[in-house]
Amino acid sequence: MSTTDAFPPALPAPVIEAVGLRKSFAGTVAVDGLSFAVEPGSVLALLGPNGAGKTTAIKLLTTLLPPEGGRAVIAGHDVAREPDAVRRNIGLAGQSAAVDEKLTVRQNLDLFGRLYHLPGPSRRARVDELVERFGMREYADRLAEQLSGGERRRLDLVAALIADPAAIFLDEPTTGLDPRGRLAIWAEIRAMRDAGAAVVLTTQYLEEADELADRIVIFDRGAVVASGTSEELMDRL
């Protein structure tokens, strides 16, 4: 027996890890004991209806809200104790596009690069790389207010990648898009995964979770109802 046969390769350490996260508002529990881990090059979907607590969970993981209990670690940094280090290692696309309507696509990406303190030459090279990689050359010099809904959503997702983050959080990235726009965003998310990022996305759509996620956490009223791969959940439920 070879050494390789005796000792299978170790799994990569999680980039994103949540253990017992908890948050409430005015006595109402929004997130109750959320736990999961996401390895590099994989996608985890938080699947649930409106009001399930998915957006609150994203805010806890991205330092926008302090947890009341449990802990989260992103790229080796504790969310509560090292928020600045966490922010340097994440990309976030919320439900509402965070782009400046009066700037062009290229200018918006450059602005996000400045916010991450990327130096000029590497920032411009990164903007050019992302414009080419995500097929935005055709409208790269168009104002954001002139973009279609799908183009604007793509810009928002690509802006979250400007600093090449280890962890990416996408809050309902395809809500409000037509079928063609949804398929385009799905392709972008797969590209993020294939580039080695750990991705957490929230969604109301079972089909979306099934198509994109390596693992799914079904979430309702702040609590985990079930979790596993798509196949495991289908067998169980």
Side-chain angles (χ1 to χ4, degrees):
M1 181 181 292
S2 70
T3 303
T4 302
D5 292 334
F7 301 101
L11 293 174
V15 176
I16 304 167
E17 189 169 15
V19 180
L21 281 183
R22 190 177 187 281
K23 184 71 177 178
S24 61
F25 299 97
T28 300
V29 177
V31 174
D32 188 10
L34 177 62
S35 299
F36 62 78
V38 189
E39 291 75 26
S42 64
V43 177
L44 181 135
L46 287 177
L47 172 65
N50 278 334
K54 304 186 302 296
T55 296
T56 300
I58 293 293
K59 289 181 177 180
L60 292 173
L61 291 161
T62 56
T63 77
L64 297 177
L65 284 174
E68 293 175 357
R71 65 192 296 261
V73 176
I74 312 294
H77 301 286
D78 187 278
V79 168
R81 296 200 303 265
E82 304 171 274
D84 291 340
V86 169
R87 292 179 195 124
R88 287 193 293 270
N89 284 278
I90 65 173
L92 169 64
Q95 291 185 26
S96 300
V99 299
D100 189 319
E101 299 285 322
K102 300 302 180 183
L103 297 180
T104 67
V105 168
R106 200 179 293 276
Q107 288 169 338
N108 265 289
L109 294 176
D110 185 77
L111 175 61
F112 275 84
R114 290 174 184 271
L115 293 174
Y116 275 96
H117 304 292
L118 300 182
S122 60
R123 184 179 70 247
R124 289 187 287 272
R126 180 64 171 165
V127 169
D128 290 341
E129 175 194 348
L130 291 173
V131 165
E132 292 296 324
R133 176 175 154 196
F134 289 97
M136 299 192 297
R137 184 195 298 179
E138 179 183 343
Y139 53 88
D141 297 311
R142 196 182 303 166
L143 295 178
E145 66 183 3
Q146 299 172 331
L147 303 178
S148 69
E151 290 168 344
R152 188 176 308 185
R153 197 59 175 140
R154 178 180 291 187
L155 171 59
D156 201 38
L157 264 64
V158 172
L161 302 178
I162 192 70
D164 195 19
I168 300 170
F169 298 89
L170 309 175
D171 195 7
E172 300 200 9
T174 65
T175 297
L177 297 183
D178 60 25
R180 183 177 179 181
R182 287 182 69 202
L183 291 175
I185 296 301
W186 286 5
E188 316 305 352
I189 294 170
R190 291 189 183 102
M192 296 175 189
R193 176 200 62 199
D194 293 345
V199 182
V200 173
L201 69 91
T202 71
T203 181
Q204 302 177 48
Y205 307 123
L206 176 59
E207 176 195 11
E208 185 161 272
D210 187 39
E211 283 287 334
L212 296 174
D214 299 283
R215 294 188 65 80
I216 300 170
V217 173
I218 301 177
F219 206 53
D220 194 21
R221 299 183 184 181
V224 175
V225 176
S227 64
T229 66
S230 178
E231 293 78 10
E232 289 170 348
L233 292 173
M234 287 180 182
D235 289 342
R236 193 181 315 162
L237 302 177

